[in-house]
Structure formats: structure tokens, C-alpha cells
Amino acid sequence: MNSLIIIAHPKKNSFTFAMAERYQAMAKDKGYHIEVIDLYREKHQQPFYSFDDAKNPVKTDAVQYFQDKIAHADELVFFFPYWWGSMPAILKNFIDWNFSRGFGFEYVDSRPVGLLKGKTVKIYTTTGAPYLYYKLTGAHKRLRKMFQKQVIEFCGMKLASFNIYGSLDKSATDTNEILKKIKL
């Protein structure tokens, strides 16, 4: 199994990184081939997405680098904090650049066709607010649906798991118990 772990958190000493490290260790124990992209520290930084022709996106060296990693992966595993009702901007920018038309999808008879079939996606996200708040307000469902329908399935992939962990800014939260919930 080729696993591509994508981390979008500016603080290396964060629970987001702890979850990613736990997943990586478990995957390594199972013999997975693992690649890690740390979007905040990656040497192949990408500027804000822009284009002159949406039908023919520019393929920079960074785009080629990341698309090669995505193409080689059997699974993509995203780790990020849930900020302001969404993912961090750096992750959105990564998706805009690297899941672009001609690689992630194409249009056939005005309908999108995903080009990344056979890949699975797992999402692990954290928030300071209690999980119940996100469930009651619909934020959990909204984030999951947005990822599942407008990124993952749009590109032909399958959502294998979606996990949101809340109350992480509370000292009473048992982060070790959350880490035990991380699954391959």
C-alpha cells in the first residue's frame, strides 16, 4: 500500500501532527510505503492559485512534483485543523493546484469525470470547539459533504473515513484516547 500523508498545520508541535505521526507509525508497522507532505514546510511551495485558461492549467515543477506523489498513492490521508468552517487556506490552495483539470478530472459531454479512480481518502481534522457543537450546527456534515462530493468523488476517489475531533483546547480532553481512535 502506498500512502500519501498530507499535513496542513503551521505548528509542528500540534495535535494534528501527533495524529499524523501515529498514522504514519501504524502504516509503517504494516509495511506501507509512506510519503509525507507537510504543506507549511514543503520545499515545493505553491503561490496562490491563478490561471489564464481554466481549460489548460499551467503545470509548474511543483504541480508535477505533487501530482506524481498523488498518482503513485493508493490512499491519501489528510490531517488538518478545522478553522473558520473549513480547511486551512494552504490546503485549499494545494487542492486547487494539484487536483486540476486534466489530472484530477476532465469534462466529458459537460459532465465531470474523475481521473483518480481506485484511490481512497481518509480525513482527520481537529477543532477547539466541542464536537457536539459542530454536529448540532451541521458544520461536521457540511465539511464532510464538501470534501466527499466536491473533491474526492469529483476526482473519482472514495472516502474511506472522515474523523473530526473537538475540544482540543480543553485541558480535560484526553488526547491519548483520541490517538487510539486513529485507524489504518
Side-chain angles (χ1 to χ4, degrees):
M1 169 80 74
N2 294 315
S3 182
L4 180 60
I5 296 172
I6 302 157
I7 308 166
H9 199 292
K11 186 177 174 188
K12 192 93 164 145
N13 186 20
S14 66
F15 190 67
T16 298
F17 268 92
M19 290 190 309
E21 289 164 0
R22 166 105 169 128
Y23 190 92
Q24 184 176 359
M26 292 169 57
K28 191 173 187 175
D29 286 347
K30 292 285 187 186
Y32 288 25
H33 176 262
I34 303 154
E35 294 268 357
V36 177
I37 298 171
D38 175 352
L39 293 178
Y40 283 90
R41 289 157 199 84
E42 178 60 49
K43 69 178 180 176
H44 296 91
Q45 289 293 314
Q46 294 175 300
F48 283 117
Y49 185 65
S50 64
F51 58 84
D52 292 322
D53 180 0
K55 292 181 181 180
N56 297 299
V58 174
K59 195 146 201 173
T60 66
D61 289 344
V63 169
Q64 187 64 57
Y65 172 82
F66 290 124
Q67 286 182 347
D68 287 348
K69 290 191 176 298
I70 293 164
H72 185 68
D74 299 310
E75 71 170 3
L76 307 174
V77 189
F78 293 91
F79 293 89
F80 61 92
Y82 188 11
W83 289 341
W84 295 105
S86 191
M87 67 190 99
I90 199 166
L91 179 54
K92 174 69 167 77
N93 193 57
F94 176 83
I95 292 167
D96 288 344
W97 273 108
N98 303 300
F99 290 84
S100 54
R101 187 178 194 164
F103 175 77
F105 68 95
E106 65 183 351
Y107 287 105
V108 176
D109 298 326
S110 300
R111 293 179 175 240
V113 175
L115 301 177
L116 299 174
K117 292 177 177 26
K119 297 184 186 306
T120 58
V121 176
K122 296 175 184 169
I123 296 174
Y124 293 89
T125 186
T126 60
T127 179
Y131 170 79
L132 184 60
Y133 173 79
Y134 284 93
K135 187 166 179 137
L136 291 174
T137 63
H140 173 274
K141 191 177 193 179
R142 185 175 58 250
L143 182 67
R144 178 188 174 126
K145 189 172 187 176
M146 183 274 301
F147 257 102
Q148 185 172 5
K149 298 296 180 189
Q150 295 160 340
V151 177
I152 298 166
E153 291 175 3
F154 195 88
C155 291
M157 301 178 288
K158 300 268 188 233
L159 181 63
S161 71
F162 182 88
N163 308 275
I164 185 168
Y165 302 105
S167 299
L168 290 179
D169 62 351
K170 307 289 185 230
S171 61
T173 300
D174 188 347
T175 54
N176 288 324
E177 284 302 311
I178 294 172
L179 288 174
K180 290 177 186 174
K181 295 177 183 179
I182 305 294
K183 304 285 184 219
L184 291 181

